[in-house]
């Protein structure tokens, strides 16, 4: 496979980033292209704000509740801007904003609990939890607001401050979110910075940062970890996925086809834990391929602002080129596109929803992360072989098993090497669950109380039982 650069959009004169509407391919806005040197002052202000924020848990909870209210009040405006720059249908943008507010409310009510250790010694020990200091967050373009909230809600609830860098492809909704949150949060508790590389690299390695929490691709995650090593900052990495959906012999294909289709194609397939490969028993393979292809052919593709649209464009030109390259390589290797297989002849970054069959199992569209509206469906004859194939990549984010006998499906799911496994659905997460990838899909734990403790350090006090 050619290595395709993950390049941000072209700049415009005057130190700004041009922001492109992926439904038209035209620039419609701009955001500051900040210089890495600016981070020194930003991090210094985040440190000073931390001194006033770290010891006020009740005030923090009140501020986070007010922040959730402010996000909901601005929901319609945020959703339109998010769709404009990201491309997803408006209903999906609204759901993303609801999730952002829900995350703030969840962490407003999730406080760290001191713990006593009584282990028979003449002293007892108490574990208290202390915040770390300014935290850096770096996020991608597929869920700009939801993923930002997954970073700032637990970090701020824990008593840290944050400097957040969105993707240069999607800075605008995040900047608007920042100004909405500023109504509820003290100054400099959350600062949004925007710009091209090396802004993120400098942020990850800044000596004033105590925790770097990153969501994005595996190669960038490695670079971020290397950068953070310079200051020995804690690192949390939520990285790429290549989730398999494994269909069992007793699956009811017609009953699951809609759910399976949308588990792969929601947000135009640009979901870290989308279904990216399907393994079907050989006996059912053609029925599965046809069931998915019918849906791929009939889905309404268009601009996210159009109320009839079910599937929007790919977010950006380099990502569209990646999707085309993966598909082209698979077709050259002997795969057949039963639906789609090409970009659409219209302005913007549209790719026809694609179902691939006869795909060699070694094709990069199977072994790597396509991150777009393309789904290979592979037949299997023996369940052990299917599990070996499902587990046979460097990724380990999620996976799912589909069948009628739930006990059997659960037993098979227990053999998946990943962080989250689902039965008869995929990619649904609870705010209260831990979220952590296996293998190359991540380092550290986000989500639920684990996400809060990931932003805290233990401080242990030993005292004698008697004076
Ligand atoms: P990416 O790795 O190219 O970029 C992610 C972020 O890192 C962006 O803000 C980018 O500007 C920044 N960045 C780029 N180079 C950097 C550097 N050297 N140092 C610091 N920051 C740098 O990823 P992307 O293309 O924006 O997003 C898609 C990827 O994100 C996919 O692999 C997807 O699976 C992954 N993802 C993972 C999760 C998860 O929770 N595990 C969620 C969403 C997306």
């Amino acid at each position: 496979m050619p290595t395709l650069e993950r390049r941000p959009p072209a700049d415009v004169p005057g130190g700004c980033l041009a922001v492109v509407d992926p439904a038209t391919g035209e620039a419609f806005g701009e955001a500051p292209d900040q210089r890495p040197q600016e981070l020194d002052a930003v991090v210094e202000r985040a440190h000073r704000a931390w001194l006033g924020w770290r010891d006020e848990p009740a005030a923090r909870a009140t501020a986070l509740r007010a922040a959730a209210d402010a996000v909901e009040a601005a929901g319609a405006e945020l959703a339109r801007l998010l769709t404009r720059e990201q491309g997803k249908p408006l209903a999906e943008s609204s759901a993303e904003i609801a999730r952002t507010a829900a995350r703030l409310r969840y962490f407003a009510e999730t406080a760290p609990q001191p713990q006593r250790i009584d282990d028979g010694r003449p002293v007892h020990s108490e574990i208290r939890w202390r915040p770390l200091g300014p935290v850096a967050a770096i996020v991608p373009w597929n869920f700009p607001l939801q993923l930002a909230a997954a970073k700032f809600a637990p970090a701020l609830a824990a008593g840290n401050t944050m400097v957040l860098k969105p993707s240069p492809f999607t800075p605008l909704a995040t900047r608007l979110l920042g100004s909405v949150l500023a109504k509820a949060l003290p100054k400099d508790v959350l600062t949004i910075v925007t710009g091209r590389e090396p802004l993120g690299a400098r942020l990850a390695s800044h000596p004033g940062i105590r925790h770097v929490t990153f969501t994005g691709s595996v190669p960038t995650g490695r670079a971020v970890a290397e950068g953070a090593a310079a200051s020995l900052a804690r690192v949390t990495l939520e990285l790429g996925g290549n989730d398999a959906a494994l269909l069992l012999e007793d699956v009811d294909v017609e009953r699951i086809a809609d759910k399976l289709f949308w588990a792969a194609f929601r947000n135009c397939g640009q979901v870290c834990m989308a279904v990216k490969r399907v393994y079907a028993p050989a006996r059912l393979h053609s029925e599965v391929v046809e069931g998915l292809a019918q849906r791929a052919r009939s889905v309404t593709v268009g601009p996210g602002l159009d109320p009839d649209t079910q599937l929007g464009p790919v977010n950006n030109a380099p990502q569209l080129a990646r999707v085309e390259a993966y598909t082209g390589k698979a077709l050259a290797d002997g795969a057949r596109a039963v639906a789609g297989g090409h970009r659409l002849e219209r302005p913007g970054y549209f790719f026809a929803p694609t179902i691939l069959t006869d795909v060699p199992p070694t094709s990069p569209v199977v072994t790597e992360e396509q991150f777009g509206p393309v789904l290979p469906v592979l037949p299997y004859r023996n369940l052990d072989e299917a599990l070996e194939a499902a587990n046979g990549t460097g990724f380990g984010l999620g996976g799912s098993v589909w069948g009628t006998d739930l006990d059997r499906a659960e037993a098979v799911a227990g053999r998946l090497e990943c962080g989250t496994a689902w039965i008869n659905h995929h990619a649904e997460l609870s705010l209260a669950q831990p979220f952590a990838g296996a293998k190359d899909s991540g380092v550290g734990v986000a989500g639920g109380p684990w996400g809060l403790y990931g932003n805290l350090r233990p401080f242990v006090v030993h005292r004698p039982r008697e004076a």
Side-chain angles (χ1 to χ4, degrees):
M1 278 291 293
T3 306
L4 291 160
E5 263 186 75
R6 294 174 176 268
R7 257 174 314 150
D11 58 341
V12 290
C16 281
L17 291 170
V19 182
V20 171
D21 178 344
T24 62
E26 304 287 335
F28 75 100
E30 47 189 60
D33 186 12
Q34 290 179 257
R35 302 286 131 211
Q37 320 60 293
E38 294 178 43
L39 289 173
D40 291 345
V42 170
V43 174
E44 174 57 31
R45 286 198 296 273
H47 181 81
R48 267 191 260 122
W50 178 59
L51 302 178
W53 176 253
R54 63 182 177 180
D55 296 322
E56 302 292 340
R60 292 202 299 267
T62 305
L64 293 180
R65 280 183 216 114
D69 291 344
V71 169
E72 279 164 356
E77 190 188 359
L78 281 165
R80 280 190 77 78
L81 188 54
L82 179 58
T83 285
R84 195 82 200 279
E85 72 174 353
Q86 203 285 331
K88 65 186 67 184
L90 201 50
E92 288 185 32
S93 289
S94 300
E96 180 165 345
I97 283 138
R99 187 96 173 160
T100 300
R103 183 94 61 176
L104 282 162
R105 283 194 210 291
Y106 176 86
F107 280 105
E109 312 307 331
T110 311
Q113 300 301 323
Q115 285 161 261
R116 276 271 287 268
I117 301 175
D118 283 313
D119 54 3
R121 290 173 307 138
V123 298
H124 70 241
S125 319
E126 185 175 271
I127 310 169
R128 301 174 192 165
W129 294 94
R130 292 193 162 173
L132 303 169
V135 173
I138 301 174
V139 295
W141 43 260
N142 59 334
F143 290 93
L145 303 189
Q146 193 172 316
L147 293 173
K151 307 293 190 199
F152 63 65
L156 301 193
N160 304 296
T161 53
M162 177 168 277
V163 180
L164 166 72
K165 192 199 81 67
S167 165
F169 292 111
T170 51
L172 296 181
T174 311
R175 277 170 59 78
L176 177 59
L177 178 68
S179 56
V180 167
L181 293 173
K183 293 176 198 152
L185 300 174
K187 195 165 173 312
D188 298 327
V189 161
L190 175 67
T191 307
I192 316 285
V193 294
T194 58
R196 289 174 300 175
E197 284 314 301
L199 188 68
R202 175 65 185 149
L203 182 58
S205 60
H206 197 284
I209 292 293
R210 298 316 312 143
H211 176 201
V212 183
T213 174
F214 170 82
T215 298
S217 64
V218 175
T220 314
R222 286 191 212 285
V224 162
E226 275 177 37
S231 57
L232 292 178
R234 183 180 298 183
V235 175
T236 304
L237 305 174
E238 298 175 53
L239 305 180
N242 187 0
D243 291 10
L246 182 47
L247 277 50
L248 300 181
E249 279 286 348
D250 66 351
V251 74
D252 181 340
V253 176
E254 194 41 43
R255 192 152 170 220
I256 63 140
D258 264 335
K259 232 181 189 181
L260 182 60
F261 177 82
W262 285 111
F265 286 88
R266 184 169 71 96
N267 199 19
C268 207
Q270 302 162 125
V271 180
C272 54
M273 53 176 71
V275 168
K276 294 185 178 130
R277 307 170 274 158
V278 173
Y279 293 92
R283 184 179 65 81
L284 299 173
H285 180 255
S286 350
E287 189 185 344
V288 174
V289 168
E290 197 38 47
L292 292 170
Q294 269 173 18
R295 285 157 177 86
R297 289 185 213 109
S298 59
V299 75
T300 307
V301 179
L305 289 178
D306 183 333
D308 293 331
T309 290
Q310 294 174 287
L311 203 103
V314 171
N315 173 256
N316 57 73
Q319 187 59 28
L320 181 65
R322 288 172 67 80
V323 170
E324 270 190 302
Y326 278 115
T327 308
K329 169 87 174 107
L331 296 175
D333 288 347
R336 269 188 313 121
V338 187
H342 51 84
R343 60 184 295 178
L344 294 177
E345 292 302 319
R346 57 186 288 173
Y349 308 141
F350 289 96
F351 199 84
T354 297
I355 303 294
L356 295 175
T357 187
D358 301 336
V359 191
T362 52
S363 183
V365 79
V366 178
T367 58
E368 298 177 13
E369 187 188 25
Q370 68 273 38
F371 214 62
V374 178
L375 183 64
V377 185
L378 297 108
Y380 73 85
R381 292 189 189 283
N382 162 321
L383 184 61
D384 286 341
E385 273 169 31
L387 274 162
E388 198 180 323
N391 291 330
T393 75
F395 297 97
L397 198 56
S400 55
V401 178
W402 305 66
T404 305
D405 178 342
L406 295 184
D407 291 338
R408 171 149 169 73
E410 188 172 339
V412 175
R415 296 173 64 191
L416 290 173
E417 290 165 10
C418 57
T420 310
W422 295 270
I423 292 145
N424 291 343
H425 64 115
H426 199 108
E428 293 172 28
L429 294 175
S430 158
L431 290 176
Q433 74 159 90
F435 182 64
K439 299 190 275 183
D440 287 353
S441 289
V443 171
V445 186
W450 299 269
L452 187 77
Y453 287 101
N455 282 286
L456 291 161
R457 65 178 175 84
F459 170 66
V460 185
V461 178
H462 290 254
R463 59 170 281 177
R465 287 178 197 278
E466 307 298 336

